[in-house]
Each structure stands twice: as structure tokens, then as C-alpha cells.
Amino acid sequence: MEKKINISCFILGLLLLNACTKKLDLQPAQNISNESALTSDASVKQVLVGAYDYFSASRLYGGQVLRNAELFAGEGEYTWTGTFEGPLEIFNRQILTVNDDVTAYWEDAYITINICNNILSALSVVTEEDRPRIEGEAKFLRAYIYFDLTRFFGQQYETGLTNDQLAVPLVLQPTVSATDNIGVSRNTVEECYAQVIADLNDAESLLPETNGIYANKYAAAAILSRVYLQKADYTNARDAADRVISSGHFALVSNYADEFATDDNTTEDIFAIQLSAQDGSNALNEFFSTNQYGGRGDIQITTAFYNLYSADDERRSLYYKLAGKYRTAKFNNQFGNISLIRLAEMYLVRSECNERLSTATGAAPVDDYNVVHTRAGLAPAISVTLDDILFERSLELAHEGFKLFEVKRLHQNVGAMPYNDPKLVFPIPEREIEVNPNLVQNPGY
């Protein structure tokens, strides 16, 4: 997303004594007040740019959230060779409550949520023409973050059950003073999903069809599709994916490799993090790519996973060997964009849901499957099964932040661990428990 040098002063004013950062003891004298930051149309819009800026930080969607979803359930797919303790604990599923990566994720997520809440509280000063878009973008970002927080810190949504398992606190009002939002408690998985869906429905209805590099109505519909798929609501997941595909605003790139490590959005990107050498870092590049591409090479791909691709699958060519170990080339651009939502996912969602429901909304399951399958240079299938579609997802979306959540929604195991093992859920950071006795720790920590 576009960055502006002076945005930090506006953001700091908004984040004064944020509930999730009270231990940092931020002082009002360092910052401008919330009142002065949000009293004009221009300032609210600038603060919205700041929300995207925080959202795209490396500890959030600049890569680490996606990396952690892969490492956490990556047994048999990855080998971790790095020296950083935080990712190592996540990979080994032996996370301490003081884990720096988990703590940083929680902190930055709630900072960004608070910026969105402040924007939503100041809509009255936004010009009437732009107000729906500003509201839609803030709700899109808030919903996106809450969805992943719920999936990391709470157990999997279980269809037909009450889903009263604890997730994360839903903080929907701005924190602008030391007494705001003190003592919040964790909401249930059911409550968090309901809020995420409400925000995304609002965002889809409010956002324009095109919005430059920022969120548009189809980005909201795409995440809605992902949310519904995670909770096994296949009808709504299918229909949301169909809205994206049938819009005609996006098209798969003809060559699979051209979708990755790009400096600009492609026709396939529905929503992507914009990075540059001037502002931003790509944590996927840092950990997956090797030194010649600006990375550390801490994550290796196992031979067993590489061998899942057939010899004539063009996606296989996006792997390379260094010192006898396989690496993915998806992120071999130190300041390349990070595609968070791309059209191939929507085709596979619609294919899966139609197959499960014995429907053909938008297209028959095999036709959507073949759109993705043949793009990889493979012969079209005459028919497909659910297993075929799920296998295609694992090949097409590999290393892009889906692994943990696929394991959970499909009720699979990670090694000997079942999908609902307490150790496949992040702990509430210890510093949050210390300052807020109303936060209950997850079992097993």
C-alpha cells in the first residue's frame, strides 16, 4: 500500500496508551491527540493509509502471519534450519507464553484494529461521497485481522456445535485513553466469526468494484468465501467465490510463475501487500528465500513434498535446489508484493463447494478444477473427486499461509497431533495475562 512519511505522527496519536501496549508506557507528550488527528476528511484518510501500513508490517501480513501458518502445521512439508527461537518453537509446536513472534503478532494486530476503530468513530467528518468506501476499508481490515486471530488463538469452528470455545477479545470501540477497553475478556469462536462476517458483509456492500491497490468489494467477498469455507458453510462460500469470479475483474496469469515475486499486482491478484525498497520488508522472502535473493533460507521444502508434483506440472519448476535441499522460488524478490488473495483460490473454493453440494453454480466442479489444473500445464480431467480438488489446493496454494487452517478445517493430523490438539493453538501472550486478569490462558500453557 502507498506509504506517507508523516503518517506515523497521526498513528501514534491514535495509539496513545493502547490497551494491548500499556506495558510500553507510551506518553501523551510524544504524540498528537486523537482529537487533532481525526477532525478532518484529509486526516481520516491519511490515518486509513496508516492502517494499511500497519497491516502490511512484516510481523503481520508482510509475511510472518503466513509463515507461521505454514510452520505450525508443516511437519513433513518443511524443515526449519534457522536460529531464531520464536519460529523454532512454532515449528516444533512447543511455544512458550513469552514467544516473541506470538506476542508481536498480538500487539500489531490490536494496534491495527484500534486504528480501524478510530477511523470508524470519525466517519462523520469524511466527505459524504467517500464515507462508504472509508467505512468499508476499515471494516475489511478489521475483519481480516480478527478472522486470523480467531483461527490462531481459538480452536477450529465446529459445524452444528455452540462454538463457545474461547478465541480473542472483540474490541470494537477505539482505545484513546488509559481507561478505555480495560479488562476485556475473550469472546467465543462463534462471536468472533459472527463479527467477522458482519464486517465483511458491510465491507462488500460499501466498497467500490475498483479501488486501486486498496481493498474493493471483491476482496471482501473473497475473504467472506474463505471464512465460510473455514466454518464448512459451503453454500455461502461457493456463492461468495462465484461473485468474485463472475465479476470479470480478474484473470489468471497464463504462466503460473508470473504470479509470484512481482513488483506490481497481476491480473490474478484480488488483494496484495505492496512492498518496496523504500518502505516495507517481505518476511516470506526473508525466511523462504536464500541469500542470493535477499533471504536467510531458514525454511527448506522436503523432498517428499516436492515429489507430490508430477514431472510435467509447471508448478514444479518453482522449486530449486541449494546444497541438496529444495527451496520455493515463490518469494524470490526481496521487496516483491505479497499476494494475500488470488483468483486461483476462488476457483478452487467454488469447485470444492459445488462438489460437496452436488451443484454447479457458476461452473461444474471439474471445469473450475481444470481452470487451475491446466494452467499448470496438465491435461484436463474428465471428472474429479473431492480428494482431487483438495489435493489441487495443496499444490496450487503451497507455502502461502493456508497449511494450518487446511489441517483444522479438514480435521487432519499434524504428525501424531489431531487438528484440535491444544498445542495447535497459540498461547495468549504472558504479558497480556499479566496486565489483564480477565484474559484466560489456553489449555496446555
Side-chain angles (χ1 to χ4, degrees):
M1 287 67 192
E2 177 187 358
K3 312 296 197 305
K4 297 189 178 180
I5 294 174
N6 63 351
I7 190 62
S8 59
C9 68
F10 283 88
I11 297 169
L12 288 172
L14 293 179
L15 301 179
L16 167 61
L17 294 172
N18 183 288
C20 69
T21 59
K22 278 197 287 291
K23 290 194 73 176
L24 298 179
D25 194 25
L26 300 178
Q27 297 301 314
Q30 299 172 356
N31 313 307
I32 65 171
S33 70
N34 183 55
E35 288 76 10
S36 61
L38 292 166
T39 55
S40 71
D41 172 79
S43 62
V44 172
K45 289 173 180 174
Q46 193 171 14
V47 169
L48 178 60
V49 174
Y52 280 104
D53 193 49
Y54 262 94
F55 185 88
S56 65
S58 63
R59 304 196 308 184
L60 284 179
Y61 294 96
Q64 285 195 24
V65 170
L66 286 70
R67 179 207 68 184
N68 291 342
E70 294 294 323
L71 286 181
F72 209 7
E75 184 169 327
E77 186 167 332
Y78 301 113
T79 301
W80 170 263
T81 63
T83 57
F84 292 151
E85 285 297 322
L88 177 62
E89 291 176 9
I90 292 169
F91 179 66
N92 289 333
R93 300 176 300 284
Q94 297 175 353
I95 306 173
L96 301 178
T97 59
V98 293
N99 182 285
D100 287 342
D101 290 59
V102 173
T103 301
Y105 173 34
W106 178 286
E107 177 181 316
D108 279 8
Y110 275 100
I111 286 174
T112 312
I113 287 167
N114 193 47
I115 299 174
C116 293
N117 289 341
N118 274 276
I119 292 165
L120 292 169
S121 74
L123 290 174
S124 61
V125 304
V126 177
T127 59
E128 187 173 351
E129 178 185 8
D130 292 336
R131 197 174 301 155
R133 175 179 61 81
I134 301 300
E135 179 181 353
E137 290 184 67
K139 286 187 172 180
F140 170 83
L141 294 175
R142 185 171 73 177
Y144 201 125
I145 293 171
Y146 266 131
F147 178 43
D148 283 344
L149 283 174
T150 299
R151 295 194 292 176
F152 272 112
F153 290 95
Q155 285 284 3
Q156 166 63 19
Y157 189 100
E158 302 288 0
T159 304
L161 301 182
T162 58
N163 289 290
D164 56 0
Q165 60 271 40
L166 295 180
V168 294
L170 285 173
V171 181
L172 305 177
Q173 299 301 318
T175 299
V176 294
S177 73
T179 57
D180 291 337
N181 296 312
I182 277 193
V184 295
S185 300
R186 296 173 66 186
N187 289 81
T188 66
V189 167
E190 184 70 55
E191 290 167 336
C192 288
Y193 268 81
Q195 183 61 48
V196 166
I197 290 170
D199 273 354
L200 289 172
N201 276 320
D202 285 349
E204 185 180 1
S205 68
L206 291 164
L207 287 169
E209 293 192 5
T210 59
N211 194 22
I213 58 175
Y214 301 103
N216 58 43
K217 70 166 48 267
Y218 300 114
I223 294 301
L224 260 177
S225 178
R226 195 181 287 179
V227 172
Y228 285 129
L229 187 69
Q230 194 72 37
K231 63 183 296 214
D233 182 347
Y234 300 118
T235 299
N236 278 316
R238 175 202 64 194
D239 292 349
D242 181 61
R243 294 196 295 275
V244 178
I245 297 167
S246 62
S247 73
H249 281 270
F250 311 96
L252 296 190
V253 298
S254 57
N255 180 17
Y256 181 75
D258 291 342
E259 169 59 18
F260 302 98
T262 63
D263 292 325
D264 301 298
N265 286 3
T266 73
T267 59
E268 187 170 337
D269 290 326
I270 299 167
F271 184 66
I273 296 298
Q274 312 294 308
L275 297 173
S276 70
Q278 288 71 42
D279 191 1
S281 60
N282 186 330
L284 293 177
N285 169 271
E286 179 183 1
F287 293 98
F288 279 97
S289 296
T290 47
N291 160 277
Q292 65 265 47
Y293 300 106
R296 295 170 49 88
D298 290 340
I299 301 175
Q300 300 171 354
I301 313 300
T302 65
T303 301
F305 184 82
Y306 171 77
N307 286 336
L308 294 178
Y309 294 91
S310 62
D312 52 350
D313 191 325
E314 292 179 5
R315 293 171 297 204
R316 186 182 175 109
S317 67
L318 268 181
Y319 293 89
Y320 61 103
K321 259 188 173 180
L322 184 67
K325 304 298 182 181
Y326 285 106
R327 316 283 181 162
T328 176
K330 279 188 172 181
F331 315 115
N332 283 355
N333 181 345
Q334 188 173 4
F335 302 107
N337 288 356
I338 297 175
S339 183
L340 295 183
I341 319 169
R342 54 191 186 89
L343 187 61
E345 178 192 353
M346 295 296 100
Y347 277 114
L348 292 171
V349 170
R350 192 171 72 175
S351 179
E352 176 183 341
C353 294
N354 273 323
E355 178 66 22
R356 289 181 182 274
L357 297 167
S358 299
T359 57
T361 297
V366 68
D367 293 333
D368 279 341
Y369 170 91
N370 277 332
V371 169
V372 176
H373 191 68
T374 59
R375 196 263 295 267
L378 301 169
I382 298 173
S383 62
V384 290
T385 65
L386 179 60
D387 284 344
D388 292 332
I389 298 166
L390 295 176
F391 182 62
E392 193 71 18
R393 274 183 67 94
S394 69
L395 299 181
E396 176 69 23
L397 304 175
H399 325 312
E400 296 179 48
F402 291 89
K403 183 68 176 179
L404 175 66
F405 311 127
E406 290 291 279
V407 164
K408 290 190 173 188
R409 79 177 182 90
L410 298 172
H411 292 189
Q412 298 171 340
N413 288 357
V414 179
M417 280 181 160
Y419 76 97
N420 57 358
D421 190 288
K423 289 296 187 179
L424 282 175
V425 176
F426 277 175
I428 305 301
E430 183 174 304
R431 66 189 295 274
E432 302 301 324
I433 300 286
E434 288 177 355
V435 300
N436 182 1
N438 293 331
L439 288 178
V440 177
Q441 184 58 272
N442 277 321
Y445 291 102

